[in-house]
Amino acid sequence: MTLEEAETRPLLGASREDTDLGSHQTPIVNNNHDTILSEGGVPAGSSSGSGSGFSRTLGTSEAFAIVISIVIGSGIFTSPGSIDTNVPSPGAALVVWLVGGVLAWTGASTMAELGTAIPGEGGVQPYLKYIYGDIFGFLAAWTWIVAVMPATLAILSIVFVESIYSAAGITDQADHLSHKLLSILILVLVSVANSFSTKTSTRLNGFFVVTKFATIAAVVIAGVGVVIAQATHPGRDVDGGDDWLRRNWFANRPTNNPDGSTTEWDRIGAWELLGHYSTALYGALWAYSGWDKAIYISAELSAPAKQLPLAINSAIPTIVLCFLAANAAYYILLPWNVVSTTDSVAVTAITRLLGRGFGIVAAILICLVVAGSLLGNSFVAGRMAVAAANQDWLPRLFANLGHLGVKRTQVLSSSDAVNNDENSINDNGTSEDVAKESTTSDAPINAIILTSLLAALYILLGSFRALLTFNGLGEYSFFFLTVVGAVVLRFREPGLQRPYKPFILIPVVFALVSGFVVIRGAIFAPLLAAVLVVLWGVGGLGYWGRRRLASRRDS
């Protein structure tokens, strides 16, 4: 790859040579789901078919199932507490979940428009580069590598430990050093698992897929069971409490915070209340993470222009209904003053209703869900760093595969760095089996260490709820710019081929709501916003310095 290509090519975008081969796949994982998917939306590690591209064999029903799998993850079990802390009533919390779902739907529809109109891989980076220029694509990639992905790993590690604590009836230890050190230990174990080989990672990941659906079903069934019990035996004492039956779901009530303080909503002004709602929405958006990946399944649809929007417009409303049902069940199963104090609400609810034994079972299920999310996100985070190193955006040290440090360097191209098809062909025409003879692992160990160290730093310095806001600010700043760019392109390039073109009000709604949420969230959490701005500044200086160095070499 030439230096010129490195400056203009998106982070995970295919090079000309890669495009000619046509066999590379980009594994994608959302912030809280458990399935690693290839560029075509199939599980990573599966064969893509012939070298000319993916077979277009998927129909609408398969696309529907894949979108469901991408979006539903661990967030539905972990975000409700942070949302309840920042809203005045359970009814308002359900409205936040609904608004988050609408944002996910409008955002996914807009990404589908861009994805079918602008070629390229690597999330929003190629779209930002096409619309605004190379620097915006780089900053998006930089943000994901040093902020979004490490924060995601930190959040999931914290949630894993919090689920264990909640099963033991402990819900107030998240800020203690012992809790943080255990979270780092879980992070290290997952990183070690990903350091063995790509094949090991994908096999472990397949183990976690079903558990999330079983856990959601268990929570909803438990809530329905309590409602039926109250209907058939009025006045019956239920361990979870009866706030859901005797209190107004939309009336303001004092909210207990994890730090022991209480929020009196009647004393809060409208502007500050909007700040709380913005923070609450970040929790919901965390749970809906993955909607931006829906476009990746289009490569295998037999009629993507028709089937992709149909899958999105049916799958996301289904997900919204599932999330609303699960959250309503939480408020049925728990006293309302408890929901806001826990970051593992599902485990807390089952433990209070059915006892510690069932709570331990619930904790195991949720830990499996979170472990799958951790494994998948660690898998992709390391390969994103490799791709950035291959573009000279990070030191070449992080492009090494299979070895710690700089010895016996093995470097893959950007597309290969994220390709985990065990039957793929290397650039020199040899098979993966031949390449593996020179190394015991094909994992990006240096890159995994980088992302793990950053995640460990976030665990030590941050908290679950602060990291949720930080993650949301990082992601949605660029989602906002991307969707605004989609609207701009409608007028700047009206002749651009758009196989799928939603009504313009859809991206406009997303841009307006997400823009307000980012701005108000930054004002509400200025320290987190300042950290993000500093990271952008550091990244921008590095980008400028690299361009200057390249210019001197050329001259």
Side-chain angles (χ1 to χ4, degrees):
M1 180 177 66
T2 65
L3 181 60
E4 183 179 359
E5 279 183 290
E7 291 180 359
T8 59
R9 185 170 153 203
L11 173 63
L12 301 182
S15 67
R16 184 177 301 126
E17 293 83 2
D18 297 337
T19 304
D20 291 339
L21 284 173
S23 61
H24 299 297
Q25 301 176 48
T26 304
I28 56 171
V29 178
N30 77 308
N31 286 348
N32 67 77
H33 77 77
D34 312 304
T35 305
I36 298 178
L37 298 177
S38 71
E39 170 71 10
V42 293
S46 62
S47 176
S48 62
S50 66
S52 60
F54 298 109
S55 300
R56 294 188 176 273
T57 57
L58 294 182
T60 304
S61 59
E62 291 88 353
F64 172 87
I66 291 172
V67 173
I68 292 284
S69 179
I70 292 174
V71 177
I72 295 181
S74 59
I76 183 59
F77 311 115
T78 58
S79 293
S82 64
I83 293 173
D84 188 72
T85 300
N86 288 285
V87 294
S89 68
L94 295 180
V95 171
V96 167
W97 281 99
L98 180 61
V99 172
V102 171
L103 269 182
W105 170 63
T106 55
S109 295
T110 306
M111 291 297 175
E113 174 187 347
L114 290 172
T116 55
I118 302 172
E121 303 169 4
V124 300
Q125 292 102 4
Y127 311 145
L128 290 167
K129 175 188 170 185
Y130 182 91
I131 298 166
Y132 302 109
D134 188 65
I135 180 63
F136 283 87
F138 162 76
L139 285 176
W142 169 260
T143 302
W144 256 257
I145 291 169
V146 302
V148 172
M149 294 306 296
T152 295
L153 297 176
I155 290 168
L156 291 170
S157 300
I158 292 169
V159 168
F160 189 101
V161 174
E162 183 67 15
S163 297
I164 298 174
Y165 273 61
S166 295
I170 303 172
T171 60
D172 59 351
Q173 300 294 307
D175 291 331
H176 289 208
L177 182 61
S178 59
H179 191 292
K180 292 179 179 290
L181 292 177
L182 281 174
S183 300
I184 293 174
L185 175 62
I186 297 300
L187 173 69
V188 170
L189 292 176
V190 170
S191 299
V192 169
N194 265 328
S195 297
F196 286 119
S197 71
T198 295
K199 190 174 183 179
T200 300
S201 299
T202 53
R203 283 181 173 177
L204 283 173
N205 181 77
F207 174 71
F208 299 112
V209 174
V210 172
T211 54
K212 58 189 173 186
F213 299 104
T215 309
I216 289 177
V219 169
V220 174
I221 290 172
V224 171
V226 169
V227 172
I228 294 174
Q230 285 287 356
T232 55
H233 300 85
R236 180 178 179 179
D237 185 27
V238 179
D239 290 340
D242 59 353
D243 287 344
W244 65 274
L245 184 63
R246 61 183 181 81
R247 299 179 66 178
N248 185 340
W249 281 59
F250 287 90
N252 289 359
R253 89 294 192 216
T255 299
N256 295 333
N257 299 314
D259 61 2
S261 63
T262 301
T263 303
E264 298 288 345
W265 296 103
D266 293 331
R267 300 178 181 178
I268 290 180
W271 182 242
E272 185 179 355
L273 182 62
L274 286 174
H276 279 284
Y277 273 116
S278 297
T279 304
L281 190 55
Y282 285 132
L285 295 175
W286 160 264
Y288 286 109
S289 290
W291 57 260
D292 56 305
K293 307 300 190 302
I295 182 59
Y296 286 90
I297 67 174
S298 62
E300 291 187 87
L301 295 177
S302 56
K306 177 182 178 181
Q307 293 168 332
L308 183 60
L310 183 58
I312 290 173
N313 293 333
S314 56
I316 292 185
T318 301
I319 293 166
V320 173
L321 290 176
C322 288
F323 284 6
L324 289 175
N327 278 276
Y330 293 142
Y331 286 110
I332 292 171
L333 295 172
L334 286 173
W336 289 356
N337 63 352
V338 172
V339 177
S340 61
T341 62
T342 176
D343 291 328
S344 187
V345 64
V347 175
T348 303
I350 297 299
T351 300
R352 289 181 65 99
L353 180 68
L354 301 175
R356 183 163 296 179
F358 283 96
I360 291 173
V361 173
I364 291 172
L365 286 173
I366 292 173
C367 283
L368 288 175
V369 172
V370 175
S373 300
L374 258 174
L375 189 74
N377 280 281
S378 175
F379 183 95
V380 168
R383 283 150 180 82
M384 290 181 73
V386 170
N390 281 325
Q391 300 249 12
D392 292 327
W393 288 347
L394 290 178
R396 299 290 293 179
L397 168 72
F398 298 110
N400 293 351
L401 299 182
H403 303 285
L404 178 64
V406 297
K407 293 181 180 180
R408 296 169 60 194
T409 302
Q410 177 190 358
V411 180
L412 294 184
S413 68
S414 294
S415 186
D416 283 334
V418 292
N419 176 33
N420 62 327
D421 187 344
E422 58 186 294
N423 298 316
S424 66
I425 303 298
N426 290 333
D427 287 338
N428 61 8
T430 60
S431 68
E432 287 278 343
D433 293 335
V434 174
K436 288 179 182 177
E437 291 178 2
S438 64
T439 179
T440 58
S441 170
D442 59 351
I445 297 176
N446 293 333
I448 290 174
I449 291 175
L450 170 66
T451 56
S452 299
L453 287 175
L454 289 171
L457 182 65
Y458 288 151
I459 290 172
L460 290 173
L461 299 181
S463 65
F464 171 79
R465 302 184 182 195
L467 289 170
L468 274 185
T469 302
F470 182 66
N471 183 282
L473 283 171
E475 278 194 316
Y476 274 81
S477 295
F478 289 99
F479 288 157
F480 166 73
L481 288 175
T482 303
V483 174
V484 167
V487 176
V488 169
L489 284 181
R490 292 283 188 100
F491 300 95
R492 194 176 80 188
E493 299 185 31
L496 182 66
Q497 283 290 106
R498 295 175 173 87
Y500 173 55
K501 186 178 179 180
F503 182 52
I504 194 170
L505 187 61
I506 289 177
V508 168
V509 167
F510 181 93
L512 290 175
V513 178
S514 63
F516 174 79
V517 167
V518 168
I519 294 171
R520 188 62 190 94
I523 295 173
F524 190 73
L527 180 59
L528 297 176
V531 171
L532 202 56
V533 170
V534 169
L535 289 176
W536 289 338
V538 171
L541 287 174
Y543 178 86
W544 177 79
R546 184 181 63 87
R547 293 291 295 265
R548 292 270 302 197
L549 181 61
S551 177
R552 289 180 180 178
R553 287 175 178 173
D554 291 342
S555 61

